[in-house]
Amino acid sequence: PDVYPGNCWAFKGSLGYLVVGLSRKIYPTSFAMEHIPKPLSPSGNISSAPRNFSVYGLDDEYQAEGKLLGQYVYDQDGEPLQLFPVIV
């Protein structure tokens, strides 16, 4: 509902998956990921931020293997909002 600490898509553990369904086919050129900055974190760290992640294009959510659009690393010491280009 907002961008305050704790109001996020949290995943339990160190591995998670997210599927986003769109109303029509798109050809993305980049992806953005945003995480709370360290200074605003109640604990003073953002160790829960995603680090290594991959993005796949799927025709539907049941597809076993999609097309790899890129493998990325979120820089926890970088800007809170980071942009990652599609490398295909």
Side-chain angles (χ1 to χ4, degrees), residues 6-88:
N7 291 336
C8 59
W9 288 347
F11 291 92
K12 186 176 182 176
S14 62
L15 182 64
Y17 299 92
L18 172 70
V19 175
V20 177
L22 303 175
S23 62
R24 63 185 175 111
K25 190 174 189 173
I26 65 165
Y27 296 94
T29 58
S30 62
F31 301 93
M33 183 178 297
E34 185 173 19
H35 196 276
I36 183 175
K38 284 183 183 179
L40 295 181
S41 173
S43 66
N45 72 61
I46 57 169
S47 59
S48 65
R51 179 155 165 73
N52 299 309
F53 66 100
S54 301
V55 178
Y56 291 86
L58 303 171
D59 292 322
D60 62 62
E61 65 182 298
Y62 304 106
Q63 188 175 345
E65 292 185 30
K67 181 176 182 178
L68 180 64
L69 301 178
Q71 294 179 310
Y72 309 103
V73 177
Y74 183 86
D75 180 4
Q76 294 183 5
D77 294 316
E79 293 295 319
L81 178 62
Q82 297 177 26
L83 187 66
F84 304 94
V86 170
I87 53 175
V88 180

